[in-house]
């Protein structure tokens, strides 16, 4: 066989049955990504004789005698293909994991295909961008700007790694190979609840290439929590690396280590496990009832009530809700349900570990290498100096990588064997073993006067944390923000995080607020109709205003405040936008048209301690090195950090060299979640850059004898009065005196401010089929001082797209035995290009933030009002209220064709 890849001939032969994707990666073409291995996502797209193909479902032997082109062969960082340049300049990417496949597909488009992108891009998925930026890239629309020295903030500059991303050179976690590397695969439980009686390894160890089989007897007997927070005590230590009791279908039972993935998988099939099945419970209400099967004993003092499977319960109130309801003219009560939702980041979880110089190195796809290091140190009794954890570029996260669920096993195997070890999740493992959004059932009761003034709010929230606690407690606390958004003298919030024999739930964009926002904002819409007041007007009447206490569960003091009426401005902008245009026209006869709105309030950092440290150093090459621990996975913090530093140092982003997410080369960083990558780490960057600027100016003032106030930093030099000194001169003078221009600064997640969002939709619903088409989507967001306008719009567009999936298409189906039955993109159905409208993004600029340069992070909160706004628009169109997600055509069809007297479902 003869293989020609990017113009170079290879003599290597693929293995029998090997797909083209894995073969190309074995040849070093790492721009060919693995997103699904089922032909669903397009991340692996390459050209075969100029035609795009999904290489994961193309047998490698079919390339024999043909020309294969990968993203690396399309262009280089110094010589971009026109489409690569378009994707860089739009910018048409966020995390960048799908970008190579998108470009390889788009670069073949005819004009006719460009005019029909819903069809042309049907084979390529993106979870980050919301597709509008990709559309701009395909059509050649440029969104980037050039920043003048010291004027980077407020400018849409490009990502530091832009050229590398669009050419496939940006390294993601698995884009490397180490000599002698072993591969690890996992045996998963077929039972929802069982005790392991015995494990026979012998047949597995007899498989050629298998080196080890690890079971619960081979791992440290230490309990921990997989959830990542600075304060690990907020989460329960209810998990072991491997356990002798399994509590959900898919739980890790054994790990097989082998020379190849194929040998490890065969070894997994040969492991013989004898189980003693135990009673299981899947519904949290049933799990809380007396006599239900117990998942955990009383070994963890954090667990509130193990006999009733309650991890944590919250009970808070202000005022007297009974008196508030007694004073109400109208009372509305309803129960709203949000299902599990998977993150579906295109890069699956994975880690690689190896020993170097007697130290354990772990390269991982994580949102927090600092805390992953702390957990590994605890589990394996390693000192900090014995361990390094770092990230390359991470292919999406959305909270899913705020866990330690792959690092522990590779660390175990490398410490045991001394050899490099790789563990990469399959797409099915992502769906069946990684942590989805918490299913929540919320009963909301609202009381109001005839004029719409709220008199009482009462919420009961039952959250299904699954088999392990992970983020079960913190997401329960976060849900209070849905109640905090409204002024009301009487509030009551009761919440329960409950263990069940299902896949453990975890962190997902919106973090415990998305589900309560759906419930409360839907209930507010129903209340508005009950008191015959426009839903926007009802919200305006009751939203919190500057000076109001932000109260959900108690009247105790907190560190959150706001001084500008951003939420009212968001409501006004969305109301004006919906009145100004109807968006796309309704498709025709048989379609019902409706409008819906919803709002949310979000704290700009998590309530638990969040800390970040940044280092800035002016190097001998006159480039400023910025070292910060925050991971880049599409949220744009890398770009924002560079802009903040450039602004303070009076220079351009091109003169900032970024070092990030490496515990050997950066300071501690809690992690990139809850928008803290900008709000907290951005403040650390601001302080460190400002400190270096001040040191340079102080040195220059002392050297010239000019008063400090007359000295200013200008790109590559300092002006002191009438004299200008180049940075090269200053660095040489400083070096001669043993002085370095460097500084480290820390920032913490307190005090905090709030940001707000309002989403509006106008939709059409087919009265027969139940299909929904979005005619107009608009979101207004209180962005405060905007660091990068293009990135803010991109985050909102991506958040709206994810919210649309949450509302309309996505459902983590679990059968009566606890088995997830749709563990792939084809059946799970995240939104495609054709599903997502262009969202009109309206920015409310304010100055009430305590973030860096008074900015606010926007990646987290934009998803929260999307689902309720869609549900409210559906009710407006049909007159039928749907209180359970997702709003699929079959459910809408069924309800529209039933008697209107049927209760809301």
């Amino acid at each position: 066989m003869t293989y020609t890849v990017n113009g170079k001939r290879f003599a290597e032969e693929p293995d029998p049955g090997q797909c083209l994707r894995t073969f190309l990666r074995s040849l070093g073409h790492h721009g060919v990504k693995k997103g699904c291995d089922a032909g669903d996502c397009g991340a692996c797209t390459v050209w075969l004789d100029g035609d795009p193909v999904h290489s994961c479902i193309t047998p490698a032997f079919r390339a024999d005698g043909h020309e294969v082109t990968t993203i690396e062969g399309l262009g280089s960082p110094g010589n971009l293909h026109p489409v690569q340049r378009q994707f860089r300049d739009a910018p048409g990417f966020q995390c960048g994991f799908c970008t190579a496949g998108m470009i390889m597909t788009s670069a073949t488009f005819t004009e006719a295909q460009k005019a029909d992108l819903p069809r042309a891009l049907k084979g390529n998925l993106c979870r980050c961008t919301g597709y509008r930026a990709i559309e701009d890239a395909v059509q050649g629309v440029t969104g980037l700007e050039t920043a003048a020295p010291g004027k980077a903030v407020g400018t849409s500059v490009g990502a530091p790694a832009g050229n590398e991303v669009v050419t496939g050179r940006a390294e993601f976690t698995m884009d490397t190979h180490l000599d002698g590397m072993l591969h690890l695969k996992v045996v998963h439980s077929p039972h929802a609840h069982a005790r392991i009686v015995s494990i026979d390894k012998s047949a597995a160890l007899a498989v050629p290439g298998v080196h080890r089989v690890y079971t619960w007897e081979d791992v440290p007997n230490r309990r921990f929590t997989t959830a990542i927070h600075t304060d690990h005590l907020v989460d329960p230590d209810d998990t072991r690396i491997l356990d002798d009791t399994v509590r959900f279908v898919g739980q890790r039972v054994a790990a097989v280590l082998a020379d190849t993935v194929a040998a490890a998988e065969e070894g997994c099939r040969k492991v013989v496990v004898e189980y003693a099945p135990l009673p299981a419970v899947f519904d949290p209400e049933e799990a809380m009832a007396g006599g239900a099967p117990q998942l955990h004993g009383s070994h963890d003092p954090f667990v509130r009530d193990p006999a009733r499977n309650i991890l944590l319960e919250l009970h808070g109130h202000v005022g007297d809700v009974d008196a508030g309801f007694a004073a109400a003219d109208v009372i509305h009560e309803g129960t709203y349900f949000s299902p599990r939702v998977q993150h579906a980041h295109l890069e699956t979880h994975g880690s690689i570990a190896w020993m170097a110089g007697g130290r354990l190195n772990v390269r991982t796809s994580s949102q927090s290498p600092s805390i992953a290091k702390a957990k590994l140190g605890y589990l394996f009794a390693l000192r900090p100096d014995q361990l390094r954890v770092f990230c390359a570029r991470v292919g999406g996260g959305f909270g899913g990588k705020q866990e330690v669920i792959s690092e522990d096993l590779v660390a175990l195997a490398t410490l045991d064997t001394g050899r490099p070890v790789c563990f990469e999740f399959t797409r099915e493992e992502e769906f069946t073993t990684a942590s989805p959004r918490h299913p929540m059932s919320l009963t909301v009761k609202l009381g109001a006067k005839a004029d719409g003034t709220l008199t009482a709010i009462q919420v009961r929230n039952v959250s299904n944390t699954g088999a392990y606690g992970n983020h079960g407690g913190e997401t329960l606390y976060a849900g209070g923000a849905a109640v905090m958004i409204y002024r009301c003298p009487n509030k009551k919030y009761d919440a329960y995080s409950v263990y069940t024999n299902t896949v453990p739930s975890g962190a997902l964009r919106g973090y415990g607020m998305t589900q309560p926002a759906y419930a409360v904002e839907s209930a507010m819409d129903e209340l508005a109709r009950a008191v015959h007041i426009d839903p926007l007007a009802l919200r305006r009447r009751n939203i919190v205003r500057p000076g109001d206490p932000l109260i959900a569960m108690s009247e105790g003091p907190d560190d959150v405040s706001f001084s500008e009426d951003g939420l009212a401005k968001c409501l006004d902008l969305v109301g004006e936008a919906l009145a100004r245009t109807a968006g796309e026209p309704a498709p025709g006869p048989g379609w019902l048209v409706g409008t819906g709105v919803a709002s949310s309030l979000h704290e700009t950092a998590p309530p638990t301690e969040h800390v970040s440290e940044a280092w800035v150093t002016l190097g001998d090459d006159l480039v400023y090195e910025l070292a910060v621990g925050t991971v880049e996975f599409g949220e744009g913090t890398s770009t924002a950090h560079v802009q903040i530093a450039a602004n303070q140092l009076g220079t351009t982003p091109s003169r900032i060299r970024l070092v990030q997410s490496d515990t050997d080369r950066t300071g501690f960083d809690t992690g990139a979640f809850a928008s803290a990558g900008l709000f907290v780490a951005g403040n650390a960057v601001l302080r460190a850059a400002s400190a270096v600027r001040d040191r340079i100016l102080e040195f220059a003032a002392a050297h010239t004898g000019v008063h400090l106030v007359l000295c200013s930093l200008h790109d590559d030099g300092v002006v002191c009065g009438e004299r200008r000194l180049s940075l090269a001169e200053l660095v040489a003078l400083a070096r001669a005196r043993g002085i370095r221009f460097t500084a480290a600064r820390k920032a913490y997640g307190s005090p905090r401010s709030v940001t707000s969002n309002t989403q509006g939709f106008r939709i059409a619903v087919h009265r027969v089929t139940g299909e929904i088409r979005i005619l107009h989507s608009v979101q207004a967001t209180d962005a405060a001082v905007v660091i990068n306008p293009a990135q803010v719009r991109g985050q909102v567009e991506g958040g709206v797209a994810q919210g649309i999936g949450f509302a309309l298409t996505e459902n983590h189906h679990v059968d009566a035995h606890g088995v997830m039955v749709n563990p792939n993109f084809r059946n799970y159905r995240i939104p495609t290009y054709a599903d997502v409208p262009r969202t009109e993004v309206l920015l409310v600029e304010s100055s009430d933030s305590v973030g860096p340069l008074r900015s606010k992070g926007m990646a987290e909160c934009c998803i929260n009002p999307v689902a309720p706004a869609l549900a409210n628009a559906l009710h407006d169109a049909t007159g039928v209220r749907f209180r359970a997600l997702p709003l699929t055509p079959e459910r809408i069809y069924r309800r529209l064709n039933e008697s209107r007297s049927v209760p809301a479902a």
Side-chain angles (χ1 to χ4, degrees):
M1 293 184 181
T2 302
Y3 293 88
T4 305
V5 182
N6 299 331
K8 181 180 178 181
R9 301 186 74 174
F10 288 89
E12 286 84 349
E13 294 281 328
D15 295 328
Q18 187 173 21
C19 72
L20 184 58
R21 181 190 71 82
T22 58
F23 180 55
L24 290 171
R25 287 182 63 84
S26 73
L27 297 177
H29 301 287
H30 292 140
V32 185
K33 304 300 185 192
K34 183 200 85 170
C36 64
D37 274 342
D40 295 331
C41 76
C44 66
T45 302
V46 300
W47 291 353
L48 198 57
D49 291 338
D51 294 324
V53 298
H54 288 186
S55 61
C56 70
I57 55 172
T58 301
F61 74 82
R62 290 190 181 173
D64 177 27
H66 298 278
E67 176 70 37
V68 177
T69 307
T70 73
I71 188 70
E72 295 94 338
L74 196 64
S76 65
N79 184 28
L80 298 179
H81 183 278
V83 175
Q84 290 173 319
R85 186 175 298 109
Q86 289 169 209
F87 269 77
R88 182 198 64 186
D89 294 346
F93 65 90
Q94 286 181 20
C95 85
F97 198 81
C98 75
T99 305
M102 284 285 182
I103 290 173
M104 295 306 291
T105 299
S106 302
T108 66
F109 285 169
T110 64
E111 291 303 315
Q113 287 174 306
K114 290 180 183 179
D116 189 12
L117 290 181
R119 178 179 292 275
L121 283 175
K122 67 180 181 179
N124 290 79
L125 296 177
C126 175
R127 190 56 156 175
C128 298
T129 64
Y131 297 103
R132 296 311 103 187
I134 290 171
E135 176 187 332
D136 288 345
V138 173
Q139 304 298 355
V141 177
T142 297
L144 295 189
E145 300 169 325
T146 301
K151 303 292 183 182
V153 167
T155 305
S156 295
V157 303
N163 279 356
E164 287 70 29
V165 168
V166 300
T167 57
R169 270 73 170 182
E171 277 199 8
F172 291 82
T173 309
M174 294 297 160
D175 294 343
T176 188
H177 180 77
L178 302 175
D179 290 340
M181 188 159 68
L182 301 175
H183 297 268
L184 188 145
K185 299 300 290 184
V186 169
V187 177
H188 299 284
S189 169
H191 299 284
H193 199 191
R195 182 174 57 84
I196 296 175
V197 177
S198 65
I199 300 178
D200 186 349
K201 309 176 183 179
S202 56
L205 290 170
V207 173
V210 170
H211 292 263
R212 298 282 195 281
V213 176
Y214 299 107
T215 71
W216 64 274
E217 297 177 301
D218 304 306
V219 302
N221 186 20
R222 291 194 169 192
R223 297 182 184 275
F224 72 112
T225 173
T226 61
I228 282 177
H229 290 109
T230 300
D231 181 2
H232 71 93
L233 297 177
V234 301
D235 306 303
D237 289 333
D238 59 5
T239 305
R240 289 182 171 132
I241 298 174
L242 295 168
D243 208 330
D244 59 350
T245 299
V246 292
R247 297 175 175 89
F248 70 97
V249 174
Q251 181 168 332
R252 305 187 313 199
V253 173
V256 176
L257 191 64
D259 290 328
T260 65
V261 171
E265 289 176 337
E266 178 62 16
C268 287
R269 287 188 284 269
K270 297 293 187 181
V271 174
V272 179
V273 184
E274 182 184 354
Y275 299 93
L278 298 170
V281 59
F282 307 112
D283 180 82
E285 293 283 4
E286 294 177 7
M288 285 194 292
Q294 291 184 30
L295 274 75
H296 297 275
S298 57
H299 52 77
D300 186 352
F302 188 97
V303 178
R304 179 62 177 268
D305 188 349
R308 296 172 57 220
N309 293 305
I310 296 175
L311 165 66
L312 180 71
E313 56 183 285
L314 302 176
H315 302 286
H317 73 279
V318 293
D320 184 339
V321 292
D322 292 335
F325 287 121
D329 295 316
V330 174
I331 294 175
H332 164 73
E333 184 172 4
T335 297
Y336 305 84
F337 176 73
S338 300
R340 286 180 186 83
V341 175
Q342 236 288 328
H343 306 80
H345 35 69
L346 289 198
E347 181 199 43
T348 61
H349 284 84
S351 299
I352 300 171
W354 67 94
M355 301 299 296
R359 302 175 72 221
L360 176 65
N361 290 258
V362 179
R363 169 172 165 147
T364 183
S365 184
S366 171
Q367 290 176 231
S368 178
S370 292
I371 297 179
K373 174 179 175 176
K375 287 186 182 292
L376 293 177
Y378 162 74
L379 287 171
F380 299 104
L382 298 174
R383 299 188 311 271
D385 64 312
Q386 294 177 301
L387 177 61
R388 173 198 181 201
V389 178
F390 71 102
C391 299
R393 193 173 181 91
V394 174
F398 316 112
K401 294 171 182 175
Q402 197 183 337
E403 306 263 358
V404 172
I405 57 175
S406 64
E407 297 88 345
D408 53 348
L409 285 179
V410 294
L412 169 77
T414 290
L415 289 170
D416 175 38
T417 64
R419 292 179 61 176
V421 174
C422 171
F423 176 33
E424 183 179 18
F425 278 37
T426 65
R427 181 55 56 185
E428 181 173 340
E429 285 173 325
E430 284 292 327
F431 280 111
T432 58
T433 70
S435 304
R437 190 187 295 284
H438 291 75
M440 290 186 183
S441 178
L442 293 107
T443 300
V444 181
K445 186 177 181 181
L446 304 175
K449 291 290 192 182
D451 66 357
T453 302
L454 289 170
T455 62
I457 301 175
Q458 183 171 335
V459 175
R460 180 179 185 267
N461 181 1
V462 177
S463 173
N464 187 344
T465 195
Y468 296 93
N470 301 17
H471 295 266
E474 291 299 281
T475 52
L476 210 61
Y477 279 105
V483 177
M484 186 174 67
I485 191 172
Y486 294 112
R487 282 180 291 135
C488 183
N490 307 296
K491 296 180 179 180
K492 192 170 190 291
Y493 184 77
D494 298 294
Y496 305 84
S497 182
V498 186
Y499 287 116
T500 64
N501 292 111
T502 56
V503 60
S505 302
L508 206 162
R509 192 180 204 161
Y511 199 78
M513 287 174 277
T514 313
Q515 308 94 313
Y518 167 67
V520 171
E521 290 300 292
S522 295
M524 284 293 289
D525 199 75
E526 295 197 64
L527 179 67
R529 297 178 189 280
V531 296
H532 307 292
I533 295 176
D534 177 78
L536 269 174
L538 181 72
R539 288 175 170 83
R540 288 192 188 99
R541 177 178 293 277
N542 291 287
I543 57 172
V544 290
R545 303 281 183 171
D548 290 341
L550 296 171
I551 295 173
M553 291 178 278
S554 73
E555 296 182 275
D558 61 32
D559 62 346
V560 182
S561 63
F562 66 111
S563 59
E564 295 190 37
D565 209 352
L567 181 54
K569 294 175 183 177
C570 288
L571 286 164
D572 290 343
L573 286 175
V574 167
E576 292 165 6
L578 290 172
R580 181 178 66 246
T581 176
E584 297 292 325
W591 293 82
L592 306 169
V593 176
T595 301
V597 297
S599 293
S600 69
L601 201 68
H602 185 272
E603 297 163 345
T604 50
T608 50
E609 182 183 359
H610 204 106
V611 60
S612 182
E613 183 174 10
W615 306 337
V616 174
T617 302
L618 176 59
D620 291 341
D621 58 357
L622 307 184
V623 173
Y624 295 95
E625 182 172 280
L626 167 61
V628 61
T630 308
V631 177
E632 176 60 60
F633 55 92
E635 77 281 24
T637 53
S638 294
T639 314
H641 290 166
V642 166
Q643 288 180 262
I644 292 167
N647 224 62
Q648 297 309 104
L649 294 163
T651 189
T652 60
S654 62
R655 292 190 56 238
I656 307 293
R657 179 170 55 243
L658 185 63
V659 176
Q660 60 190 141
S661 57
D662 186 332
T663 61
D664 267 12
R665 302 181 64 195
T666 61
F668 182 88
D669 186 272
T670 295
F673 51 86
S675 293
L678 176 68
F679 190 81
V680 182
N683 262 332
V685 170
L686 176 75
R687 294 169 187 173
S690 299
V692 168
R693 176 201 61 200
D694 293 347
R695 289 186 181 184
I696 294 172
L697 293 177
E698 289 164 2
F699 182 86
H703 176 70
T704 60
V706 176
H707 197 283
L708 181 61
V709 298
L710 299 178
C711 297
S712 55
L713 187 57
H714 295 275
D715 198 14
D716 60 351
V718 175
V719 175
C720 292
E722 300 296 320
R723 185 175 174 185
R724 178 184 175 87
L725 293 88
S726 70
L727 285 183
E729 293 177 77
L730 288 171
V731 168
L733 289 167
R735 281 284 187 268
R737 301 179 193 178
I739 296 171
R740 297 179 67 218
F741 297 128
T742 184
R745 291 292 185 271
K746 292 180 181 179
Y748 299 87
S750 181
R752 301 175 292 157
S753 54
V754 296
T755 189
S756 48
N757 307 70
T758 297
Q759 174 71 39
F761 283 111
R762 182 168 285 111
I763 68 170
V765 185
H766 196 279
R767 66 174 71 244
V768 175
T769 66
E771 178 187 355
I772 289 179
R773 293 192 187 176
I774 298 173
L775 308 179
H776 187 200
S777 170
V778 55
Q779 184 168 132
T781 180
D782 172 16
V785 174
V786 176
I787 302 293
N788 189 306
Q791 285 195 164
V792 169
R793 292 190 181 94
Q795 289 299 317
V796 174
E797 289 169 348
V800 171
Q802 265 190 312
I804 288 170
F806 173 53
L808 301 185
T809 65
E810 298 179 45
N811 196 356
H812 192 282
H813 289 285
V814 176
D815 69 13
H817 304 287
V819 178
M820 200 270 185
V821 298
N822 56 326
N824 52 66
F825 282 143
R826 191 163 303 182
N827 296 321
Y828 179 76
R829 277 280 285 123
I830 69 172
T832 66
Y833 177 95
D835 298 314
V836 180
R838 182 175 286 275
T839 292
E840 182 181 358
V841 179
L842 306 173
L843 304 181
V844 174
E845 293 198 18
S846 62
S847 59
D848 68 343
S849 176
V850 288
L853 302 174
R854 298 198 175 276
S855 62
K856 297 178 181 178
M858 300 309 306
E860 183 94 15
C861 54
C862 45
I863 192 174
N864 292 331
V866 176
L870 272 170
N872 293 340
L874 178 59
H875 180 263
D876 187 54
T878 64
V880 179
R881 171 59 61 175
F882 292 79
R883 294 181 182 155
L885 298 176
L887 306 172
T888 56
E890 58 269 24
R891 292 187 61 240
I892 296 171
Y893 165 83
R894 185 175 68 251
R895 287 293 312 287
L896 293 184
N897 287 277
E898 290 173 352
S899 167
R900 293 300 175 94
S901 63
V902 174

